[in-house]
Amino acid sequence: MLLTLGTLLALCGATGRMEAVTPLFLGAIASALAETDDSGRGRYRAQLVTLACFAGAAFAVSALIDAPAVFIGCLALAAFWLTMLGAVEARYKAIGYATLILAMYATLGIGNHPLAGPGERHRDLLLLLAGAAWYGAFSVGWCVAFPAQPVQARLARLYAVLGHYVRFKGSLFEPLRGIDIERKRLSLSQLNADVVAELNAAKESIFRRIGARAPTGRIARYRGLYLIAQDVHERASSSHDDYNALADAFFHSDLLYRCRRVLHLQGEACARLAQSIERREPFVADGATLQALADLRSAIAHERRQASEPARQALLASVEALARNLEQLDGQLAGAAEPLARAGRTDMGLFDRSPRSWRDALERVRGQLTPRSPLFRHALRLALALVAGWGVMRVIHPAQGYWILLTTLFVCQQTWGDTISRMGQRIAGTAVGVVVGWALLDLFPDHRLQALLAVVAGVLFFATRSTRYLLATACMTVLVLMCFNQMGDGGMLIVPRLVDTAIGSVIAGLAMVLVLPHWQARRFNELAAAAMRNQALYLRGIAGQYRAGARDDLAYRLARRNAHNADAALASAVSEMFREPALVRPRAGVALRFLIQSHTLLSYLSALGAHRVALPEPGHAAALDAVAAGAAQALEELAAGIESGSAQTLEAMRARVADVQALSRAGPDGAGDPATQLVRTELSLIGQQVEALRGHALRWLQPEAG
């Protein structure tokens, strides 16, 4: 963005056409908003599609703006369908959103020159497109010159977040009584959602750079590091027994503190790996973790000699399984030091989630054309909000009121919390930007210096728009004032900008309430059922590997990733639920408890997945497989009952859950075989979680009972 705006400013200054700065800058900004992480070839293709959409939108605005009713009707239709493109994939979502923004920029240019003829209008539109193409040229060139840089940044971010998750997981291992484990598990589920989001982003970034041939060089290493992160995540998210029971049993021992220290050191190792990726330096494993693991083994041996009660011995077996898991986790991190980071893997494939064909893309859009879809509701809400904004604009000041539509477009988000948050930040940021812009116009009357300030503001906008939206809005306001002052008196925009921003923000907020509001409580049944179904598939995949032996193949990794994605979606929905008005979430507490139990269940499944190994006794494998199959079926029935809202279904599955728990208790005790003993323990814990989830689901469906 610095290169684009800087060179455009230099060209305008060299040719004496400073009035061209505004459309060129706005076109470049719209093009940058359409950008997604991609390879050089993918970015080139996306840029061609973007320019075609931009050209169609710009000249449609020019042709229709003099017929207001037709214009707003076409704009509403365009807003709906361009928003629905988000159903295809992130690339088309960004292009559709940026196309709407460029259309608004075109209306701003025409609104500020109402007496301009067709030739002057077309010239401004061509300048908009030229600015977009100019940014696209830099963007494609950057992707070609530095193809691995975005992947490197994504992986560094992934390991930084993963390190934080592992360190926080260590805080659960405290031999203290009265600790609120449920609160910690809730925080852990939110951190897990962050890790899952980073895993998905890193995977898509890597996949876009892998062609028909196997990757080589840094991309091959980055793919290996991504797969290591997946395995570390599974091992770190696993739970081997109830934490309160462990704290009670080993209250007078330092055993759990040693577990916590190992996890803390492994979290630090993830953070150091993130730094090594960021700096392109070799990763060297720390010997302190090996010593901490040896100390943990020594502490376990000491406890084994002291323990006499059967219950304490069973819990100690869980700690031993945890120690084995931590040793394997450390081995995975050590594998990151290898040149290709394969860590012994043979299957390095990644699943392609992009549409296979145009028909597949159309089917994805068609599948979202239902009022049950949050995307459909958002698209319809945005279209109607723009119509309402246009109506207000025609009443107040039709000449320069297109800021209302632009503000509505920026503020109206898919969820209530994001919309309200953005509304406040948009109004406050605009006020700050207006004050700063007014001061800069007064302090620096030279137009060339103002244009230079616009460049700085544009760069700051893109540096902060994802993390500090208030500051980004202030920077964009300064840019607009500096740019429009090149063509006239930018100070005249100060009051209209403030008023129109407030009006557009209020319209977006009202649209969230009045137009098909889709509160998260209404989505809970669907998301909870999806989480249960995906965990059932994950459990079936794990059970199969206890029969045939561990295989870290694509099918298993896909089942694991889908389970974590569904859990993260549920966590995000519950978190968003608490940002919504209290009147629309009367049972939020039940949803919160369901989320905690669901994430706990997933942690027990992860422990099973982390210790996958073919069981030595065929009879043991068959018995344990029967328990796993019963638990998976119970989860599927639980999902069906939640999704259909049938309390009878949930009541009827009580017997199945009881059978699963009875089978887990009656199965082989695994004496002398740690793997069998661990599987039996985990399946017993899974049965308890299924029963707890069934109870929470009943309370959700029958609020009077809770």
Side-chain angles (χ1 to χ4, degrees), residues 626-627 630-631 652-666 687:
V627 181
M653 62 175 290
R654 183 193 299 270
R656 179 175 297 282
V657 176
D659 289 343
V660 170
Q661 293 175 325
L663 282 172
S664 66
R665 290 191 296 268

Side-chain angles (χ1 to χ4, degrees), residues 50-132:
T50 300
L51 289 176
C53 292
F54 281 9
F59 287 104
V61 167
S62 178
L64 300 174
I65 199 168
D66 293 327
V70 178
F71 167 75
I72 192 57
C74 291
L75 179 62
L77 286 173
F80 177 83
W81 288 110
L82 288 172
T83 303
M84 290 302 298
L85 283 179
V88 180
E89 61 175 345
R91 176 189 297 167
Y92 295 103
K93 176 182 179 180
I95 291 174
Y97 183 60
T99 300
L100 290 173
I101 291 172
L102 185 117
M104 291 296 97
Y105 287 162
T107 62
L108 291 176
I110 295 172
N112 280 286
H113 297 89
L115 301 179
E120 190 174 353
R121 278 189 183 181
H122 288 169
R123 184 203 65 188
D124 288 345
L125 296 179
L126 289 173
L127 287 173
L128 272 174
L129 297 175

Side-chain angles (χ1 to χ4, degrees), residues 9 23 120 194-195 223 226 402 435 493 504 522 545 640 675 696:
L9 177 59
E120 190 174 353
D194 295 338
V195 175
R223 181 180 64 173
Y226 164 75
Y402 290 103
V435 172
L493 291 176
R522 298 179 183 176
Q545 301 216 2
H696 291 316

Side-chain angles (χ1 to χ4, degrees), residues 109 121 126 147 183 207 262 330 385 452 561 616 663 665:
R121 278 189 183 181
L126 289 173
R183 182 180 293 275
F207 193 85
V262 172
D330 199 60
L452 187 60
R561 185 58 32 217
L663 282 172
R665 290 191 296 268

Side-chain angles (χ1 to χ4, degrees), residues 126-201:
L126 289 173
L127 287 173
L128 272 174
L129 297 175
W134 192 247
Y135 177 85
F138 277 106
S139 176
V140 173
W142 195 280
C143 288
V144 172
F146 307 101
Q149 187 184 55
V151 185
Q152 174 188 345
R154 286 290 188 189
L155 278 174
R157 172 66 180 164
L158 167 59
Y159 274 99
V161 174
L162 187 58
H164 182 48
Y165 176 84
V166 174
R167 289 193 297 271
F168 187 85
K169 185 64 181 285
S171 70
L172 273 67
F173 293 91
E174 292 182 335
L176 302 174
R177 294 177 177 135
I179 292 180
D180 191 350
I181 291 294
E182 298 302 306
R183 182 180 293 275
K184 288 196 172 188
R185 282 201 176 275
L186 176 62
S187 299
L188 199 66
S189 71
Q190 301 298 331
L191 288 174
N192 183 67
D194 295 338
V195 175
V196 169
E198 294 299 333
L199 280 167
N200 291 337

Side-chain angles (χ1 to χ4, degrees), residues 322-342:
L322 169 63
R324 293 195 302 273
N325 184 41
L326 294 178
E327 287 176 349
Q328 292 168 332
L329 191 157
D330 199 60
Q332 287 293 325
L333 289 175
E338 300 174 8
L340 295 180
R342 295 187 68 94

Side-chain angles (χ1 to χ4, degrees), residues 327-456:
E327 287 176 349
Q328 292 168 332
L329 191 157
D330 199 60
Q332 287 293 325
L333 289 175
E338 300 174 8
L340 295 180
R342 295 187 68 94
R345 288 182 177 81
T346 56
D347 186 350
M348 304 282 284
L350 300 177
F351 183 71
D352 184 8
R353 296 184 185 271
S354 60
R356 304 290 194 275
S357 62
W358 284 107
R359 178 176 294 179
D360 186 12
L362 290 174
E363 284 299 323
R364 294 188 183 192
V365 174
R366 186 180 302 169
Q368 295 293 320
L369 290 176
T370 169
R372 293 177 57 85
S373 165
L375 181 62
F376 175 86
R377 289 172 175 249
H378 173 58
L380 185 60
R381 189 182 303 127
L382 179 60
L384 294 179
L386 290 175
V387 173
W390 176 83
V392 174
M393 179 197 78
R394 299 294 294 180
V395 172
I396 298 178
H397 46 143
Q400 293 184 343
Y402 290 103
W403 293 110
I404 296 174
L405 301 185
L406 184 62
T407 300
T408 301
L409 179 60
F410 275 117
V411 172
C412 192
Q413 301 296 301
Q414 193 162 325
T415 63
W416 165 268
D418 288 343
T419 299
I420 296 304
S421 174
R422 183 160 286 200
M423 178 194 301
Q425 293 183 72
R426 187 81 185 178
I427 295 173
T430 300
V432 172
V434 161
V435 172
V436 173
W438 170 78
L440 292 175
L441 288 174
D442 194 50
L443 289 171
F444 305 104
D446 183 78
H447 282 199
R448 292 177 184 269
L449 188 54
Q450 291 171 7
L452 187 60
L453 291 172
V455 172
V456 175

